[in-house]
Amino acid sequence: MRPCLLFLVRHGRTAGNRAGPATPMSGWTDTPLDARGREEAEALGRRLAGGSAFDAVYASPLSRALETARIAAGAWGPVHMHDGLREICCGDVDGAPLAEVKARHAALWEANLRQDDDDFRWPGGESYREFRARCLAAIGAIAAAHPGQRVLVVTHAGVIGQILGALHGAPAARWEPFRPGNASLTSLAWQGERGVLLRFDDREHVSPSTRRPGG
């Protein structure tokens, strides 16, 4: 069986990706693309249009990923929504301003920043261990359904980070090392339960004036 070629895209920018005390915790909170995010998705679409066709397109059902997919990859047929591609669930603090979360949950905030506990979870949310298992199950199922094919997957920074963290043996709690930028391309050759990283965080299509590391 030939490997599936997976092209993982982080959605374009949203208000939740801007730094500031009012920035919300954007897990399952459905924040749409902002104007720059739509420009990034359009730039990605122009780049993809110059390459080989995709056999299928999948996206997280959250609007920031779904809109990115529809703008960038509408030429390749319908976008298939997959719940397993959602960002991590932050439970009771999902959607709350970061300043409020830091003030009300100072100890938890510091514990999360340490990135040393795979069972860390926000109250009512999903642990990093659970999140990784969900991400790997989703990407494995997509790859198994498309052996030898090219598949575009539009999702979130956390999902891509968990997949790459697993491939490199990093703990699930280490959410920072493989965090891609908005509208970036990351490609993998996936077969069975494992993948090989071919390219990470490629943002050549995003103009230098709007490109920011980790944005």
Side-chain angles (χ1 to χ4, degrees):
M1 185 179 295
R2 291 181 297 161
C4 175
L5 293 180
L6 295 165
F7 295 81
L8 309 182
V9 171
R10 183 187 177 190
H11 60 80
R13 197 186 78 166
T14 73
N17 298 141
R18 304 176 203 167
T23 299
M25 292 279 285
S26 298
W28 285 13
T29 298
D30 208 3
T31 52
L33 297 181
D34 62 14
R36 193 173 92 180
R38 288 187 290 275
E39 290 174 0
E40 291 171 341
E42 290 167 359
L44 174 62
R46 289 190 293 271
R47 180 175 181 184
L48 295 178
S52 301
F54 291 100
D55 297 290
V57 180
Y58 288 82
S60 158
L62 295 173
S63 63
R64 56 194 185 270
L66 192 56
E67 186 179 3
T68 300
R70 287 172 172 164
I71 292 172
W76 289 286
V79 177
H80 304 285
M81 290 184 286
H82 196 306
D83 270 343
L85 298 173
R86 289 175 179 262
E87 184 58 279
I88 191 169
C89 176
C90 297
D92 297 346
V93 302
D94 220 315
L98 293 182
E100 177 184 322
V101 177
K102 292 178 183 179
R104 294 180 57 191
H105 303 280
L108 284 175
W109 184 267
E110 292 301 321
N112 188 43
L113 291 181
R114 287 197 297 272
Q115 301 182 51
D116 61 2
D117 180 7
D118 288 358
D119 293 313
F120 175 89
R121 72 178 75 230
W122 296 102
E126 186 175 26
S127 74
Y128 283 116
R129 190 186 305 277
E130 293 165 343
F131 182 39
R132 175 166 291 186
R134 168 165 67 80
C135 295
L136 292 176
I139 212 69
I142 291 171
H146 299 278
Q149 295 185 330
R150 293 167 53 88
V151 180
L152 188 69
V153 179
V154 184
T155 182
H156 306 270
V159 174
I160 296 171
Q162 286 298 337
I163 293 167
L164 298 190
L167 295 184
H168 289 82
R174 292 291 308 280
W175 47 262
E176 195 170 29
F178 299 103
R179 184 173 179 80
N182 290 113
S184 63
L185 274 169
T186 294
S187 54
L188 304 167
W190 198 281
Q191 190 168 24
E193 298 181 355
R194 297 291 296 175
V196 176
L197 179 63
L198 305 176
R199 170 176 48 178
F200 172 63
D201 196 27
D202 182 343
R203 287 180 279 168
E204 289 184 3
H205 49 280
V206 181
S207 69
S209 63
T210 59
R211 190 184 305 158
R212 290 184 307 151

